[in-house]
Amino acid sequence: MDDDARADAAADVDVDADVDVAADVAAGGTASRPDEPAGRAGTGPAPSAAAPAGHAGAVVADRFDRVVWHDIYGQSAALRELAGELGERHAHSADLLTDAFLAAYKAAPRLREAAEMEHSRLVNHRVVAALLDSPGFAELHRETVGDPYAAAMAVLAQAGALRRMLDDARPDRDRDERADRARQGAGDAVTVGAEAPRQTGDEADGSDGSDGSDEDGTAPGPAADAVRRTDGDAGDAARRAAVDAGQALAAAVPGVPAAARGAVARSAAGARKEAALMRAWGVGAGEQERMSFDERARLAERLRTGRLAEWAELIGRFRQMADGERARKVENATGELIGVTLGDDLSRVVPSELASLGLPELRAVFAARYAAGELMLYDSRGEQATGRGAVIACVDTSHSMYEAGPGGITREAWAKACALALLDQARQGGRDFVGIVFSAADKLRVFRFPADRPAGPDRVLDFAETFLGGGTSYQRPLTAACELLEEEFNDSARRRGDIVMLTDDDCGVTEEWMRGWNEAKRRLGFRVFGVGIGAPRVAAAGSVLEALCDNLRSVEDFTDVHAAADLFRVI
C-alpha cells in the first residue's frame, strides 16, 4: 500500500471512531476512542481504571429517543423557558427534564442503577425513580407513551413539583458534586502518576541509549512505586466519593416521593382530561400528530377554556350516539331482501322485468307498467337515508337559548352538540355540511364545511362557540339555507338536501315568504326537520315550526341525547 492509500485508510478509521464517540455521548454514555490504548506495558493502569466516568441520563435511551426529545424541545417555548429557569438555580436540570420526558415517552422506560450514574446526577436519579415508582405513573404512561406532545405536556405539568424537589434536594446535590470533584481529582492523579514512568523512560533512553525499562519490560523501581502510591491514593479517593454518594442518596429528602406522587397524579389527570376533550371534539390521533407542538397546545387550551368546554362530555355522548345510529342504519340497510313488491324504482327491478326490454313488442308494456308504478321490484328491509344534498343545521342563538335545563345544560349546548353530531353524519356520508348560526333578522353567520376538504378543528370551534344573542327570526336562516341548496343544485345537480332547525322560540313568517318556501321545497326536494328545545309550544300542533317541517319533535330533558336519535337514522 502506498503512502497516500495508508493516509486515506487512517483518516477513515478516525472518522468512524468520531461517529461512534458522538453516538455514545448522544445516548448519555461515556466516550472513549476505539483506537486509544488502555495503557502501555510497564506504565501502570489506564487513567480510567481508578475513576470510571458515569452516565448523565438516569433513563436508558438510544439516539432516536433523544432525537425525539430534541425535536419537541425545539418546538416548545414552554420547555425551553422551564429549562432556563431551572438551570439558573440547579446544575444539570436539563438532564432531569430529559429523563422526565423519556420516562413518559418510552414504551418500557428502564432506570439505570445508581452506581452507573455520574455522582452529580444522583439527585436526578432519585427524582426520576420517585416519579416511576408513583402509583399513578401507569395511568399517566397510558396517555403519554409514544406521544411526544403528551409526554412534553406531562413534564410541564410536573414543573412545580420538580422545582420543589430540586430545592429540597440541594444539600444532597452539593454532596454529590463534591463527590464528583473527588472522583475527578482521583482520575487526574492517576493520569499524572501514569505519565511519570514515561518521563523516566524517556530520560533514561536519552542518556544511555537503552529503552528505559528493566529486562522484563516493566518500569524502573522508583517510578513503579510512585505509580502504585498514586493509584492507591486515587482508589481511596474514589471509594470515599462512592461512599459519600451512597450516603447522600440514602439520606435523600423524604419529601421527594410525596412530591413525585402529587406531580404524577396532577399530570395524569391533565393528560386524561385533554385526551377526553380531543376525543369529544372529534380531533383524531392522526390529526393531532400532524400538528406542531404549539398548534396542539393552543387547540388544547382553547378546548379547555372555550364557550362549550364544560359540555365536552355532552358533545362526546352525542357523537357516540350518532355513531351507534349509523351502525344500525348500515346493519339494516337496503340489500337485506325480504320479497318482491310493486313500484317504479328502476334500481330494484327484478331481472325478468328487464328482460322484456329485449323484445321490441314488450317495450311499450314495460313503459306503461313503469308509468303506473307496477313493475316488480325487490323488497328490502331497513331504513335508507334519502338525502343526497347538503346537511344544513340552523342553530338558534337568541338570548333565551342561554337558559339552562335539567342537569345544568343550556339549550345552546344541547343544540350545538346535536349540530356537531350532524357534521359528523354529513362527513360520513360524503355530503357537504353547513352550520347557520342565527338569532334576529340582522344577525346570521354561515359556516361551510365542504365534503372534499378537511373540517379543521379551529373552524369547527368557531362554529360551535358563536353566540349572537338577540331575538329570533325564521325567515333569514331558512332563506339562506334555501339559497345554499339552490346553489348546490345549480353547480352539481344535487337535490334532496336536509335542513335541521334547532330553536326554542316560535315566530311568524309572511304569506309571500311561505309561498316561496313551498315552491323551493318542491323544486329542490329537500326535507326539513325541527327540534323544539325546552319549549313544547314550539313543536305543538298549529305552530309555525310545525307548518315548516316534515318531521318535528320536542326535547325537554337535555341530558338525553337519544331524543334526537331518529334524525341520525334518516339523514
Side-chain angles (χ1 to χ4, degrees):
M1 181 183 295
D2 57 24
D3 292 340
D4 292 339
R6 282 191 293 271
D8 291 341
D12 290 341
V13 170
D14 288 341
V15 170
D16 292 340
D18 289 338
V19 170
D20 291 339
V21 170
D24 194 22
V25 173
T30 57
S32 63
R33 292 291 299 264
D35 55 345
E36 183 177 343
R40 295 183 181 178
T43 60
S48 61
H55 291 278
V59 177
V60 178
D62 58 30
R63 71 187 70 181
F64 301 105
D65 296 325
R66 295 186 179 275
V67 165
V68 174
W69 161 247
H70 288 303
D71 183 55
I72 202 71
Y73 181 83
Q75 293 181 37
S76 172
L79 280 176
R80 296 193 299 274
E81 182 180 345
L82 177 60
E85 176 196 342
L86 294 180
E88 292 177 356
R89 303 165 58 188
H90 304 282
H92 316 305
S93 56
D95 292 329
L96 176 59
L97 294 184
T98 305
D99 285 330
F101 170 84
L102 293 172
Y105 173 74
K106 288 178 64 66
R110 182 168 64 87
L111 197 66
R112 296 185 191 279
E113 295 295 332
E116 301 176 14
M117 297 293 297
E118 286 279 357
H119 296 118
S120 58
R121 270 76 165 186
L122 282 173
V123 167
N124 291 358
H125 185 279
R126 172 69 173 171
V127 170
V128 176
L131 293 174
L132 290 173
D133 290 341
S134 297
F137 182 79
E139 181 181 359
L140 171 65
H141 195 244
R142 282 194 294 270
E143 301 292 345
T144 61
V145 60
D147 186 340
Y149 168 84
M153 292 303 292
V155 174
L156 293 173
Q158 296 165 4
L162 292 177
R163 291 188 193 96
R164 290 194 300 275
M165 286 187 283
L166 288 175
D167 287 341
D168 293 342
R170 185 184 293 276
D172 294 330
R173 185 179 293 280
D174 292 341
R175 285 195 296 270
D176 292 341
E177 289 178 352
R178 288 196 298 270
D180 200 35
R181 286 194 295 270
R183 182 188 60 80
Q184 185 63 42
D188 293 341
V190 172
T191 302
V192 171
E195 291 295 333
R198 294 195 189 103
Q199 295 174 1
T200 304
D202 291 342
E203 292 172 359
D205 182 59
S207 60
D208 59 6
S210 66
D211 61 1
S213 62
D214 293 337
E215 291 180 359
D216 60 356
T218 61
D225 292 340
V227 171
R228 282 191 292 272
R229 286 194 302 273
T230 302
D231 188 17
D233 293 342
D236 292 340
R239 282 189 291 274
R240 285 195 301 272
V243 170
D244 290 342
Q247 292 174 347
L249 187 61
V253 179
V256 167
R261 284 195 298 272
V264 169
R266 285 190 296 273
S267 56
R272 187 172 60 252
K273 183 177 179 181
E274 182 170 318
L277 280 173
M278 292 290 185
R279 287 193 297 270
W281 284 91
V283 185
E287 190 172 6
Q288 294 176 44
E289 290 177 3
R290 290 191 293 271
M291 297 179 187
S292 68
F293 180 92
D294 287 339
E295 288 174 339
R296 189 167 165 186
R298 283 195 299 270
L299 175 61
E301 180 64 19
R302 187 174 180 185
L303 293 179
R304 281 193 297 269
T305 61
R307 183 179 182 83
L308 299 179
E310 60 182 308
W311 313 125
E313 182 184 354
L314 174 69
I315 294 169
R317 286 195 289 118
F318 242 110
R319 283 180 148 149
Q320 290 175 358
M321 179 272 293
D323 284 342
E325 295 304 319
R326 278 194 293 273
R328 283 186 56 189
K329 184 164 59 177
V330 171
E331 181 181 338
N332 294 322
T334 300
E336 185 181 347
L337 302 179
I338 59 172
V340 176
T341 187
L342 299 179
D344 60 357
D345 187 350
L346 295 178
S347 66
R348 295 189 288 137
V349 174
V350 301
S352 60
E353 291 280 22
L354 294 174
S356 63
L357 292 175
L359 300 174
E361 59 272 18
L362 295 181
R363 289 175 184 170
V365 176
F366 181 91
R369 294 180 63 190
Y370 172 68
E374 296 179 351
L375 293 174
M376 288 191 295
L377 311 176
Y378 285 121
D379 194 11
S380 60
R381 175 186 301 162
E383 297 168 333
Q384 180 182 14
T386 59
R388 291 295 180 270
V391 176
I392 302 178
C394 300
V395 183
D396 185 359
T397 59
S398 59
H399 284 311
S400 58
M401 289 290 288
Y402 197 65
E403 294 180 9
I409 299 172
T410 65
R411 298 174 180 182
E412 178 206 7
W414 194 96
K416 295 287 182 62
C418 183
L420 292 173
L422 287 169
L423 168 60
D424 292 343
Q425 184 85 354
R427 299 195 75 78
Q428 287 286 335
R431 303 168 66 183
D432 292 350
F433 176 83
V434 181
I436 298 179
V437 180
F438 72 94
S439 59
D442 60 340
K443 295 183 177 181
L444 181 134
R445 286 194 64 184
V446 177
F447 298 86
R448 305 184 70 163
F449 298 91
D452 59 352
R453 277 180 275 173
D458 286 332
R459 183 69 171 166
V460 173
L461 283 169
D462 289 341
F463 163 57
E465 293 178 350
T466 298
F467 190 86
L468 302 177
T472 304
S473 170
Y474 283 177
Q475 290 187 191
R476 180 81 188 280
L478 292 176
T479 297
C482 276
E483 291 172 352
L484 289 167
L485 293 176
E486 184 86 46
E487 178 186 337
E488 183 180 41
F489 176 73
N490 293 335
D491 289 345
S492 57
R494 285 202 295 268
R495 301 173 70 248
R496 298 189 300 176
D498 291 311
I499 299 174
V500 181
M501 190 76 169
L502 299 155
T503 182
D504 70 338
D505 198 4
D506 200 32
C507 65
V509 296
T510 65
E511 291 185 8
E512 181 181 359
W513 182 89
M514 195 67 179
R515 285 194 295 269
W517 168 262
N518 290 330
E519 171 58 25
K521 188 175 179 183
R522 182 195 61 79
R523 184 176 70 257
L524 299 174
F526 60 79
R527 300 176 299 175
V528 184
F529 300 86
V531 183
I533 304 174
R537 61 183 176 79
V538 174
S543 68
V544 174
L545 192 60
E546 194 266 343
L548 292 170
C549 297
D550 304 297
N551 184 302
L552 182 62
R553 85 274 342 268
S554 176
V555 176
E556 293 297 320
D557 183 1
F558 300 162
T559 63
D560 181 15
V561 299
H562 294 280
D566 62 312
L567 285 177
F568 301 94
R569 291 197 296 269
V570 297
I571 290 180

